[in-house]
Amino acid sequence: MNENRKHDSNAQDRTDRDWDLLYEIRQRVIQSVAKNMDLFGVTPSVGRLYGTMYFHGQPMTLDEMRDELGMSKTSMSTGVRSLQEIHMVYQTWKKGVRKDLYQAEEDWYKTFIELFTTKWRKAIEINSKEVSNAKGLLEHLWQNTHDENLKRIVAEDLEKLQHASEYYDWLSRLVESFETGEIFKFIPKKSEA
Amino acid sequence: MNENRKHDSNAQDRTDRDWDLLYEIRQRVIQSVAKNMDLFGVTPSVGRLYGTMYFHGQPMTLDEMRDELGMSKTSMSTGVRSLQEIHMVYQTWKKGVRKDLYQAEEDWYKTFIELFTTKWRKAIEINSKEVSNAKGLLEHLWQNTHDENLKRIVAEDLEKLQHASEYYDWLSRLVESFETGEIFKFIPKKSEA
DNA sequence: TCTTTCGTAAAATAATTACTGTATAAACAA
DNA sequence: TTGTTTATACAGTAATTATTTTACGAAAGA
């Protein structure tokens, strides 16, 4: 082995170690982010999938994901689909590429708001409906029953439901401020430091 | 059977039906609320437990809960404990009562804020730490590597992490506005209708 | 046309989480 | 003290959810 090749080889080794280090650092961030993604109702594996795509930066195929994560292609398929459903990943096209290409949404404000609003909107809608329905029924019951004890309890319940309605109204306005972006007037993206 | 008793009996039947109706109405609301409580990371059974306690209105014992929900006492014990941990239920005492008494937190604004802030605070803390740690390591790598390709990639990653930091900062200020109650200046509890 | 490649459906397995029954320690009562 | 009652730890079971393997239809290429 001559001096030149020895030198080259050492340089290459160093560079290899540098690349390894990069992936190691990424991995730690991905793991951390993925672990906390259950707040979005996303499972850690799917979270890791998102993180991998996020750092990959460019469109990825299902096969690449499988190689990167060492999981089955089917898992990648379902994982990507669930990420698409919550708009954290979108499909892209590239001329001449046959495989499906997917890319991670990079705007985290957007994903946060998207997730928060859709999840809570649904809950608010369902619950408010149920609450106002119950209110109607209880009012009717209150007017028609002859049992004074029951009447008192029903009145209490009605008060509880009234509180619930007001709470859902507040929550709805909160969600709206996210949907419209009004929230950024109150909490601006850049902190004035 | 004389006329009087017949009359009484009919009145009693009507009253019984009224009470049944009350419980039925409650049940529907409880079910709806419980189902949507997974947004708080609460399982439907535990959600039903909360709902039951909420409508019960006064302190409940584990045995009463078991009777009400038809589940094991152990489940009630662990369920109540988990609700206590997220401050949706608190323990009370009553002179002369030996059993533990628990009561549902009635202020839903409070529980929403409590849940939202503790969950996100933790995630923000963990992730920001990891991100700023990664930033340091990547900066060092950027300065020390000789591979120009790698250097470019590292710079890209650093930019991503910078975005992440800013996002977490925003989220942190959002959470803070909930913690301090400032949010109510922006979204008041009562809507001006 | 036939063959290959791709994505995903469906069934099977693995892993996780929820729930129950039994056992036990602590608190109380007699 | 001894005997009850209460809450919960622990171990086992049931139910749910995540993941993989196999299989197949659709699209693309030869």
Side-chain angles (χ1 to χ4, degrees):
Chain A
M1 192 185 271
N2 67 33
E3 272 306 305
N4 241 339
R5 279 188 56 208
K6 194 170 174 188
H7 172 77
D8 284 0
S9 160
N10 283 343
Q12 187 56 48
D13 282 356
R14 265 205 306 282
T15 263
D16 284 352
R17 273 204 306 279
D18 287 348
W19 280 94
D20 286 351
L21 182 56
L22 168 68
Y23 287 118
E24 213 177 282
I25 296 167
R26 278 184 177 180
Q27 216 42 59
R28 289 192 54 175
V29 176
I30 290 170
Q31 187 58 28
S32 176
V33 170
K35 210 168 187 174
N36 287 299
M37 261 212 236
D38 59 342
L39 292 177
F40 282 156
V42 171
T43 181
S45 323
V46 176
R48 248 171 358 251
L49 176 58
Y50 173 80
T52 305
M53 295 175 76
Y54 178 68
F55 278 110
H56 193 261
Q58 36 191 308
M60 267 182 113
T61 67
L62 292 176
D63 288 311
E64 286 170 332
M65 297 173 204
R66 182 204 48 202
D67 294 342
E68 199 81 30
L69 292 166
M71 288 175 74
S72 73
K73 198 174 174 181
T74 307
S75 287
M76 300 303 95
S77 178
T78 55
V80 159
R81 177 194 291 243
S82 66
L83 286 170
Q84 263 187 299
E85 272 164 12
I86 58 176
H87 300 109
M88 291 189 72
V89 152
Y90 53 92
Q91 196 164 2
T92 54
W93 285 270
K94 213 167 132 189
K95 199 163 72 173
V97 176
R98 200 172 139 194
K99 304 184 183 188
D100 290 1
L101 291 170
Y102 300 95
Q103 192 154 12
E105 170 61 59
E106 301 214 342
D107 186 339
W108 288 7
Y109 297 98
K110 212 166 146 185
T111 61
F112 174 82
I113 286 173
E114 164 79 23
L115 262 288
F116 182 84
T117 56
T118 53
K119 284 186 183 296
W120 280 102
R121 262 273 164 266
K122 216 183 80 202
I124 293 166
E125 204 199 324
I126 295 172
N127 287 348
S128 324
K129 250 182 206 156
E130 200 56 59
V131 165
S132 60
N133 180 246
K135 265 177 169 175
L137 294 170
L138 285 184
E139 267 155 20
H140 184 264
L141 180 57
W142 187 82
Q143 280 168 346
N144 289 93
T145 191
H146 299 98
D147 183 326
E148 286 305 320
N149 268 333
L150 177 58
K151 231 171 154 162
R152 214 189 58 246
I153 303 275
V154 168
E156 278 173 27
D157 280 18
L158 274 168
E159 207 183 328
K160 287 200 174 74
L161 293 182
Q162 184 52 35
H163 288 151
S165 289
E166 282 166 18
Y167 163 73
Y168 287 127
D169 177 64
W170 176 78
L171 208 49
S172 177
R173 282 178 286 126
L174 177 67
V175 166
E176 196 181 358
S177 81
F178 280 100
E179 284 167 345
T180 61
E182 281 277 308
I183 189 71
F184 292 118
K185 286 187 188 157
F186 182 60
I187 314 279
K189 286 193 185 182
K190 278 267 179 183
S191 73
E192 351 263 326
Chain B
M1 192 184 275
N2 67 33
E3 272 305 306
N4 242 338
R5 279 190 54 207
K6 192 170 174 187
H7 172 77
D8 284 358
S9 160
N10 283 343
Q12 188 56 47
D13 283 356
R14 264 206 306 282
T15 263
D16 285 351
R17 274 205 304 281
D18 287 347
W19 280 93
D20 287 349
L21 181 56
L22 168 68
Y23 288 118
E24 211 177 283
I25 296 168
R26 279 184 176 180
Q27 215 42 59
R28 289 191 54 175
V29 176
I30 290 170
Q31 186 59 28
S32 177
V33 170
K35 210 168 186 173
N36 287 298
M37 260 212 237
D38 58 342
L39 292 177
F40 282 156
V42 171
T43 182
S45 323
V46 175
R48 252 177 346 257
L49 175 58
Y50 173 79
T52 305
M53 294 176 76
Y54 178 68
F55 277 109
H56 193 261
Q58 36 191 308
M60 266 183 113
T61 67
L62 293 175
D63 289 311
E64 285 170 336
M65 298 174 203
R66 182 205 48 204
D67 293 343
E68 199 80 30
L69 292 164
M71 288 176 74
S72 72
K73 198 175 174 183
T74 305
S75 288
M76 299 302 96
S77 177
T78 56
V80 159
R81 176 193 293 243
S82 66
L83 286 171
Q84 262 187 300
E85 271 163 13
I86 57 177
H87 299 110
M88 291 188 72
V89 153
Y90 53 92
Q91 197 165 1
T92 54
W93 285 271
K94 214 167 131 189
K95 200 164 70 173
V97 177
R98 201 169 138 195
K99 303 184 184 189
D100 290 3
L101 291 171
Y102 301 95
Q103 192 154 12
E105 170 60 58
E106 302 214 340
D107 186 340
W108 287 7
Y109 298 97
K110 212 166 146 186
T111 62
F112 174 83
I113 286 174
E114 164 78 23
L115 263 288
F116 182 85
T117 56
T118 53
K119 282 186 184 296
W120 279 101
R121 263 271 165 266
K122 215 183 81 202
I124 294 167
E125 204 199 324
I126 294 172
N127 288 348
S128 324
K129 251 182 207 156
E130 201 55 59
V131 165
S132 61
N133 180 246
K135 266 177 169 174
L137 294 170
L138 285 184
E139 267 155 20
H140 184 263
L141 180 57
W142 188 83
Q143 280 169 345
N144 290 92
T145 191
H146 299 97
D147 184 327
E148 286 304 319
N149 268 334
L150 177 57
K151 231 170 153 160
R152 214 190 58 248
I153 304 274
V154 169
E156 278 174 26
D157 280 18
L158 274 168
E159 207 183 328
K160 286 200 174 74
L161 293 182
Q162 184 52 35
H163 287 151
S165 289
E166 283 166 18
Y167 164 73
Y168 286 127
D169 177 64
W170 177 78
L171 208 49
S172 177
R173 281 178 286 127
L174 177 67
V175 167
E176 196 181 357
S177 81
F178 280 100
E179 284 168 345
T180 61
E182 279 278 308
I183 188 71
F184 292 117
K185 285 187 187 158
F186 184 59
I187 314 279
K189 287 193 185 183
K190 277 267 178 184
S191 73
E192 348 267 327

